[in-house]
Amino acid sequence: MAILAYNESKINTRLRNIFGYSLFFASTFMLIVLDLATSGRGGLGSFIGICTFVASFGVADACVQGGIIGDLSFMLPEFIQSFFAGLAASGAVTSALRLVTKAAFEKSDNGLRKGTMLFLAISTFFEFLCLLLYTYYFPKLPIVKYFRSKAASEGAKTVKADLVAAGIQTKDDLHEDSASQVERLSNKQLFLQNVDYALDLYLIYVLTLSIFPGFLYENTGEHQLGTWYPLVLIAAYNVWDLISRYLPLVKFLKIESRKILTIAILSRFLLIPAFYFTAKYGDQGWMILLVWFLGLTNGHLTVCVMTVAPKGYKGPEQNALGNLLVLFLLGGIFSGVALDWLWLIGNKNESDLDMNVSQHFGLGMRSEEFGDLEKRKNNLGWSWGSS
């Protein structure tokens, strides 16, 4: 994303997005192929293959998210809101599918594998649909053609291929003349003018990803919902994240003041002690309440920042700014996932438990001892996956 943001004015946005959607589709499909080819067996080769395909999702996300946001930034703010609502909707659908597959396959042989394969198959279909819609339908929408033509008249070179795909013939010399006549701010100037918005997005996702989803799986303890509990928490976050991304469409709920946005975003860091003490002393009701508030503020503040920031700039500048903002958004996600591990530092006696596990398995552990050890590990916020 850093490379793409730096070179955005020289990149064919249409090819960038088509490549990103194609990579999403191919990588998801290849995960299914890999599982079928190995009959679900593990091993170093399978692990390397999975890591390779998952890494390609990162490349695809940088291509698509930066490219689409850059495109939509010189259109209407409602388009950006709609796109980010779609991102949240994907999370909500993912949670719904996970709940359905758990209910359907929980007691069957290889239930987790079957549920995962069904989810990947549905995802592959959706990604192929996205590829077709973006390639053939989206560029021909009248309002999209209008804004891309407007951006081209302001000196944008990234939309040339999109206009050709929409059937709008343009002369190269006309584009070059218009581009030379219209001066645009450099990426550095755009960043300095919008450093608060960039940091806002970074801080939103540092906080969110330091809690969601890792903490919700690792540190929530045992509750009445049992193994359904973390899935319910994830679903609660995703649903409220989706709902909140529509709130800025209500005028009096949309935050446009830069100072108020920054204050609201910094205030979210109070959620860290709130989650810590709720996990330690509270019950599942309070945790669900905190999770939906996390999702509510995440979606609402993200849309407010992304729709307000591009205002007042020319088309090429809005495209560049959109890419810069996505760069900081993804930087926040990366940092948040890394900081997520800090929640495990407070857990006591982890090394002792690890040694106990080795000793028990080495000596041959009775089933009731195994169950008791599992409870002790869960009370410390562990999961068998992390062990």
Side-chain angles (χ1 to χ4, degrees):
M1 187 60 223
I3 295 171
L4 292 170
Y6 182 78
N7 296 289
E8 58 80 27
S9 62
K10 305 172 186 176
I11 296 174
N12 183 324
T13 302
R14 177 175 172 80
L15 291 181
R16 168 184 174 176
N17 289 331
I18 290 175
F19 172 77
Y21 280 123
S22 300
L23 189 58
F24 268 131
F25 166 72
S27 299
T28 310
F29 181 70
M30 287 306 297
L31 285 174
I32 300 175
V33 173
L34 177 65
D35 183 80
L36 293 175
T38 59
S39 300
R41 294 189 301 271
L44 181 61
S46 298
F47 178 70
I48 293 174
I50 290 174
C51 287
T52 301
F53 295 134
V54 172
S56 69
F57 289 145
V59 177
D61 188 50
C63 291
V64 170
Q65 191 166 179
I68 293 291
I69 292 298
D71 247 2
L72 300 181
S73 293
F74 58 73
M75 298 184 193
L76 295 174
E78 289 81 5
F79 287 9
I80 298 178
Q81 178 276 325
S82 181
F83 180 77
F84 274 96
L87 290 178
S90 69
V93 171
T94 299
S95 290
L97 286 173
R98 181 66 189 99
L99 293 172
V100 169
T101 53
K102 180 176 174 60
F105 300 114
E106 185 175 22
K107 297 181 180 179
S108 64
D109 294 334
N110 289 326
L112 183 60
R113 181 190 175 207
K114 292 175 181 177
T116 302
M117 293 290 281
L118 176 61
F119 168 74
L120 289 174
I122 295 172
S123 297
T124 302
F125 169 75
F126 271 111
E127 285 153 7
F128 183 66
L129 187 62
C130 287
L131 176 61
L132 292 179
L133 288 173
Y134 178 80
T135 304
Y136 298 107
Y137 180 72
F138 183 71
K140 296 180 181 179
L141 292 174
I143 194 166
V144 172
K145 290 194 287 187
Y146 166 76
F147 280 109
R148 281 176 170 166
S149 299
K150 183 174 179 288
S153 68
E154 294 174 341
K157 299 179 180 179
T158 58
V159 296
K160 180 181 176 183
D162 295 300
L163 293 175
V164 172
I168 300 176
Q169 298 298 324
T170 59
K171 295 182 180 179
D172 291 341
D173 57 346
L174 180 62
H175 277 283
E176 291 171 1
D177 291 342
S178 62
S180 62
Q181 292 172 5
V182 180
E183 294 183 1
R184 55 151 285 186
L185 296 174
S186 66
N187 286 354
K188 181 180 179 181
Q189 290 172 315
L190 286 169
F191 170 71
L192 292 176
Q193 290 182 12
N194 296 275
V195 64
D196 55 333
Y197 288 135
L199 291 177
D200 284 347
L201 284 171
Y202 179 82
L203 293 174
I204 288 172
Y205 284 88
V206 162
L207 176 70
T208 298
L209 270 295
S210 67
I211 297 172
F212 171 88
F215 170 79
L216 302 185
Y217 272 102
E218 296 286 349
N219 288 61
T220 50
E222 291 184 338
H223 297 277
Q224 295 175 355
L225 290 172
T227 57
W228 288 87
Y229 182 57
L231 299 181
V232 170
L233 291 179
I234 301 299
Y237 169 86
N238 282 322
V239 168
W240 281 100
D241 185 42
L242 172 60
I243 293 172
S244 66
R245 297 188 184 216
Y246 286 93
L247 296 181
L249 293 177
V250 182
K251 191 172 182 180
F252 73 90
L253 293 177
K254 185 176 182 179
I255 305 173
E256 296 187 339
S257 168
R258 299 172 86 136
K259 289 183 179 179
I260 295 177
L261 276 172
T262 301
I263 292 171
I265 289 164
L266 291 175
S267 299
R268 293 179 80 235
F269 280 84
L270 293 173
L271 288 170
I272 292 177
F275 270 97
Y276 175 79
F277 287 110
T278 301
K280 199 168 185 180
Y281 304 110
D283 60 18
Q284 60 189 25
W286 287 107
M287 183 62 76
I288 293 173
L289 182 67
L290 277 179
V291 166
W292 76 251
F293 184 76
L294 179 71
L296 184 73
T297 53
N298 182 81
H300 188 198
L301 293 172
T302 297
V303 171
C304 286
V305 172
M306 292 300 300
T307 53
V308 170
K311 289 184 178 179
Y313 291 103
K314 300 168 186 173
E317 295 167 343
Q318 291 171 322
N319 187 15
L321 180 57
N323 277 269
L324 286 173
L325 293 178
V326 171
L327 173 62
F328 277 83
L329 186 154
L330 295 181
I333 291 176
F334 174 76
S335 301
V337 170
L339 292 171
D340 189 27
W341 291 97
L342 293 177
W343 291 103
L344 298 176
I345 292 177
N347 290 340
K348 297 180 181 179
N349 300 325
E350 291 177 351
S351 59
D352 294 340
L353 276 177
D354 228 19
M355 187 175 296
N356 287 338
V357 171
S358 301
Q359 291 174 348
H360 275 295
F361 278 113
L363 297 174
M365 185 168 56
R366 297 193 308 271
S367 60
E368 59 269 21
E369 290 175 325
F370 184 91
D372 180 62
L373 181 60
E374 184 176 9
K375 289 181 180 178
R376 289 175 60 199
K377 289 172 73 65
N378 283 336
N379 287 335
L380 289 174
W382 280 56
S383 70
W384 286 112
S386 64
S387 67

